Amino acid sequence: TMMVKTSDSEPIIYDFFVDTPKSCTTENIDFYSTTIDFGDSKQLFHIGKGSVAVPGNLAGLIRVHNDLGTLPLSTILEPAIDLAREGYILNKEQAYIFKILQPIFTHTKLAKQLLYKDNCPLSEGDKFINIEFANFLERVLKEGIEFFYKGQVAKLIEKSLSNGGLLNVESLKNYQVKIRKPVSTLFQSHRIYSNPSPSAGGSLIIFLIKILENIDKNNYSLPNLVNAMALTNTARGEICNDANNTIQFNKLLDDKIIHNFLNKNLLKTLDKKHDNDNPSRGCTTHVSVIDKNQNCASVTTSNGEGSGYMIPGTGIMLNNMLGEEDLNPQGFHNWNYQRRLSTMMSPTIVTLKGKPKIIIGSGGSNRIRSAIVQVLINYIYNGMSLNASIESSRIHLENNNLYYEPGIDIVENKLIDDLTYYPFDDKNLFFGGVNAVTLNDAHSDSRRGGFSKVI
């Protein structure tokens, strides 16, 4: 999903997140859980043929280029093709992902052939080469995307996922990129734009900010932030509980709804039914860009953890979005028609007097909203540098569980009763990976090995 703002226009959203397949039968479905060991915790992820949703990244990125691109597509893809063909050396963070996702990367022979060396997962310092993906990108240059969504590859995907999968040629053919108007709100004289319904993330960010403003717009203390997170979690569970209602998150933007939650005196209690007890860590990627002419883009993409299944001959592992608990809060495989799956991805643009102030986004599944809001408070309200705003310690509330990084003073703050505390010894990718730029600065979150550059 990408938010773009040109120098002379309002922001718009290119929504190219995954669709649910048209078919929803669970008879003989290939869908099961696997355990991923993060060291400090173990979590279950769901993979298999039945976890694969209709992919949209290729269609979306090509659509954005067709609409707004100034360079030839061949120039844009050339570095990626060279990297895939010649290979690149895995850094520490990339090697860590390879290590923890071993149960998925070994699920099929094709995946293991690509991602293993000498019967071991590729590690730091090893060269990763993906010649088939280089060939795939070259084919995109020559043929466009029709062969993927309507032609040979679509048929290959259907064949590869037969006997247990849901994705088929018809679902791929029906996929469409959607242009949407962002949701927005004022925050300390700044206008914040984020991802609208059917996404959950942007609306929850706006709701959280409005709750904070109503509690005390001159005090974003830890107790107020935890209270606002609690109300946001409760509102999500009570209001947004229909898996087939793609516009339900719009309700969170209604000021009457916000005041109703504030007046329910929920600030001292927690509803423990909503959100996941063990939020996933995810493998989402975010990129923020702004140029000297104030054209800007904020784009977040994800493949989940991967389904374990490759598209033969392409070097591409299919996603496992139908197996992501946070994207399916009402249960897995619970839809009545092909529709956009809701997401926490929240590419965001903040303006001041109509000019871009900060372009921001994050990976981190359910922590995306809490990470972005805390960074914006640091940068806009507290006046911190971009670096300090992103690297400062963060918290996240999930049910009655409060997760927090070193440097957060829990003892001195009176918080909600009955919280269970989960301190982290170090900064951790669990708390998201915020990447942001301004006209004069750029910073990428060290928690996820981000990279930034001012040219």
Side-chain angles (χ1 to χ4, degrees):
T1 301
M2 181 184 294
M3 183 182 295
V4 299
K5 182 187 184 310
T6 61
S7 58
D8 58 355
S9 71
E10 291 293 305
I12 60 170
I13 284 281
Y14 283 85
D15 176 2
F16 47 90
F17 195 54
V18 299
D19 269 2
T20 58
K22 186 173 183 179
S23 172
C24 193
T25 177
T26 57
E27 184 178 354
N28 298 320
I29 193 170
D30 177 48
F31 184 82
Y32 58 93
S33 62
T34 185
T35 300
I36 302 299
D37 187 351
F38 289 94
D40 57 347
S41 66
K42 294 182 180 181
Q43 294 175 13
L44 293 179
F45 294 90
H46 295 82
I47 65 171
K49 296 179 182 179
S51 72
V52 182
V54 185
N57 277 349
L58 179 61
L61 294 174
I62 295 299
R63 170 67 183 275
V64 172
H65 177 263
N66 289 339
D67 289 356
L68 300 171
T70 56
L71 292 174
L73 186 60
S74 58
T75 301
I76 294 170
L77 290 184
E78 182 179 2
I81 293 171
D82 288 345
L83 276 175
R85 191 174 302 284
E86 301 300 325
Y88 61 89
I89 304 300
L90 290 184
N91 61 31
K92 181 180 178 180
E93 289 79 15
Q94 292 165 333
Y96 173 70
I97 296 299
F98 272 61
K99 179 181 178 181
I100 65 175
L101 295 184
Q102 282 189 61
I104 297 174
F105 287 177
T106 59
H107 184 62
T108 61
K109 183 178 179 180
L110 284 179
K112 192 170 182 180
Q113 285 176 347
L114 177 65
L115 303 167
Y116 266 53
K117 176 183 178 182
D118 298 329
N119 211 36
C120 294
L122 293 172
S123 58
E124 183 179 2
D126 286 338
K127 180 179 283 190
F128 175 57
I129 298 174
N130 194 343
I131 294 175
E132 289 184 338
F133 186 60
N135 295 337
F136 175 83
L137 291 178
E138 288 179 338
R139 187 173 179 185
V140 171
L141 284 177
K142 296 176 182 178
E143 302 180 37
I145 63 172
E146 293 293 302
F147 77 97
F148 185 90
Y149 286 95
K150 298 179 181 180
Q152 180 186 20
V153 173
K155 296 175 183 177
L156 185 59
I157 291 173
E158 180 177 86
K159 181 179 179 180
S160 300
L161 298 181
S162 61
N163 300 319
L166 301 173
L167 187 53
N168 56 29
V169 171
E170 185 177 6
S171 298
L172 287 158
K173 183 179 179 180
N174 290 340
Y175 185 85
Q176 294 182 345
V177 178
K178 301 290 185 179
I179 308 296
R180 306 191 192 277
K181 181 180 179 180
V183 292
S184 72
T185 191
L186 281 173
F187 173 67
Q188 299 291 315
S189 301
H190 293 68
R191 174 66 66 177
I192 298 176
Y193 297 90
S194 200
N195 200 9
S197 290
S199 164
S203 296
L204 289 169
I205 285 174
I206 301 301
F207 183 89
L208 177 54
I209 289 172
K210 287 188 173 185
I211 288 289
L212 278 169
E213 294 274 271
N214 276 275
I215 293 174
D216 188 345
K217 64 180 180 181
N218 295 311
N219 182 5
Y220 303 108
S221 64
L222 181 62
N224 285 349
L225 181 58
V226 172
N227 286 334
M229 287 180 173
L231 284 172
T232 303
N233 291 349
T234 303
R236 181 191 181 193
E238 289 188 4
I239 295 176
C240 310
N241 51 23
D242 182 353
N244 291 292
N245 184 347
T246 60
I247 62 172
Q248 60 185 333
F249 295 100
N250 290 340
K251 298 177 184 178
L252 294 172
L253 308 179
D254 189 334
D255 287 337
K256 292 181 180 179
I257 295 293
I258 291 171
H259 288 294
N260 284 342
F261 274 92
L262 285 166
N263 293 333
K264 282 182 178 181
N265 197 28
L266 289 174
L267 297 180
K268 296 299 180 184
T269 62
L270 288 172
D271 187 332
K272 301 180 181 180
K273 295 183 297 181
H274 308 304
D275 284 354
N276 301 320
D277 284 323
N278 295 302
S280 69
R281 312 226 168 161
C283 293
T284 304
T285 300
H286 180 83
V287 177
S288 297
V289 180
I290 187 169
D291 68 15
K292 64 181 181 180
N293 297 318
Q294 300 186 12
N295 300 304
C296 44
S298 177
V299 56
T300 315
T301 60
S302 181
N303 202 43
E305 293 74 39
S307 64
Y309 285 89
M310 307 288 297
I311 308 174
T314 67
I316 297 172
M317 179 179 288
L318 289 160
N319 66 78
N320 69 320
M321 293 302 185
L322 300 183
E324 289 281 334
E325 288 188 26
D326 195 52
L327 304 183
N328 301 273
Q330 281 77 48
F332 297 118
H333 306 109
N334 183 19
W335 66 85
N336 298 327
Y337 57 95
Q338 182 170 343
R339 61 169 175 79
R340 200 63 105 236
L341 199 61
S342 181
T343 174
M344 284 295 163
M345 297 195 304
S346 305
T348 298
I349 291 176
V350 180
T351 64
L352 180 62
K353 297 180 180 179
K355 302 297 183 181
K357 178 73 173 181
I358 179 172
I359 319 303
I360 189 170
S362 179
S365 188
N366 215 19
R367 279 85 57 220
I368 289 175
R369 65 179 184 267
S370 59
I372 289 176
V373 168
Q374 288 172 86
V375 172
L376 291 179
I377 290 172
N378 289 339
Y379 186 74
I380 295 173
Y381 180 74
N382 294 327
M384 293 182 181
S385 68
L386 190 62
N387 183 316
S389 297
I390 292 173
E391 296 299 334
S392 293
S393 295
R394 297 201 280 261
I395 67 169
H396 179 73
L397 183 71
E398 200 85 27
N399 290 323
N400 66 328
N401 303 320
L402 183 64
Y403 304 87
Y404 63 97
E405 294 182 310
I408 300 293
D409 192 348
I410 296 297
V411 176
E412 294 297 323
N413 289 281
K414 187 177 181 180
L415 304 179
I416 299 170
D417 296 336
D418 299 324
L419 285 178
T420 301
Y421 297 101
Y422 290 90
F424 280 65
D425 293 331
D426 299 297
K427 303 285 181 66
N428 194 282
L429 59 79
F430 172 88
F431 292 90
V434 177
N435 299 320
V437 296
T438 68
L439 277 171
N440 303 307
D441 201 2
H443 188 75
S444 294
D445 207 323
S446 63
R447 294 169 179 84
R448 292 196 169 212
F451 175 81
S452 59
K453 189 171 185 179
V454 178
I455 301 175

